[in-house]
Amino acid sequence: TDYSETALLYARELTSGMNNVELVQSDMDSIPYAAGYFDATVSNHTIQHSAKEQRDGAFQEIERTLRPKGLLFLRTVSRMHMACGTGRQIEPYTFVDMPDMPDGATPHHYFSEEEIRGYMERFKVLSLEHRSLPSSEFFKLGVEEWVVLARKN
C-alpha cells in the first residue's frame, strides 16, 4: 500500500506482468486488509514521514495485519542523521520545511533506539542495528538509519 498515486504508478510499472502483486492506495494508519492477512511487512523509509498520531496508528496497523509469527522488516531514520534538527519542529524530533532535502516539505521523524524498542513491545526483535550510509546523489547528507527485523508474538 502507499498513499501516493505517483508511487503506485511507478510500482505498477515495476511489477507489470507479475500476477501475484496487488497495489492499493491507502494511508499507513488505515491498511485495508483483514487482521492477520500478511506473512510479512516491509516498511522502507516511510514510517518516519508522519506525525506521532499517524506513526502510532501505522505501527498498530502493521501489528494488526500481520499473522502470528509474521515478520516485520523496518528501515527508518535515526536521530544521528545530520538533518535531524533542521527545518521547523512540529513535534519532538519531527521536522518539516527542511532545506536541502528532496522531500523536505514532508514530515521527518527521527527515531531513538528506545523509541523503536517501544514500538516493538509486541514483537520479538530478531535484529536491531544502526547503520551509517555515505552521501549519494539522492541522499546528499548520507543516511543514519535503524534496521529492524522482528517477529510478531
Side-chain angles (χ1 to χ4, degrees):
T1 65
D2 199 299
Y3 80 98
S4 167
E5 186 58 38
T6 302
L8 290 171
L9 286 171
Y10 180 65
R12 283 186 183 98
E13 288 177 21
L14 292 174
T15 59
S16 177
M18 295 180 186
N19 58 3
N20 63 342
V21 175
E22 182 178 4
L23 301 169
V24 176
Q25 188 172 16
S26 74
D27 288 329
M28 67 177 84
D29 59 347
S30 181
I31 301 173
Y33 290 91
Y37 185 84
F38 295 108
D39 294 326
T41 298
V42 175
S43 178
N44 187 29
H45 284 278
T46 54
I47 212 158
Q48 74 245 23
H49 293 298
S50 56
K52 183 170 180 9
E53 183 177 346
Q54 189 176 33
R55 275 192 315 278
D56 291 351
F59 278 106
Q60 289 169 2
E61 282 292 89
I62 288 169
E63 180 187 355
R64 182 187 70 78
T65 58
L66 268 177
R67 68 168 171 78
K69 308 295 183 197
L71 293 173
L72 167 62
F73 178 73
L74 170 71
R75 289 177 65 204
T76 192
V77 292
S78 85
R79 292 184 187 170
M80 294 176 243
H81 195 288
M82 287 178 57
C84 182
T86 65
R88 180 173 53 88
Q89 184 169 314
I90 59 170
E91 295 175 344
Y93 298 101
T94 306
F95 303 87
V96 294
D97 303 329
M98 301 172 68
D100 303 321
M101 297 284 281
D103 54 357
T106 303
H108 284 68
H109 179 74
Y110 296 88
F111 289 87
S112 68
E113 181 176 352
E114 179 182 357
E115 187 176 13
I116 293 286
R117 288 193 183 278
Y119 281 118
M120 296 293 108
E121 286 180 344
R122 295 186 180 179
F123 288 80
K124 178 181 182 184
V125 176
L126 304 173
S127 173
L128 170 60
E129 52 184 85
H130 185 271
R131 294 192 333 176
S132 300
L133 303 175
S135 61
S136 66
E137 185 177 330
F138 186 75
F139 296 108
K140 306 250 185 262
L141 300 175
V143 176
E144 297 289 333
E145 67 177 359
W146 294 107
V147 181
V148 181
L149 179 62
R151 183 178 304 281
K152 182 178 171 182
N153 292 328

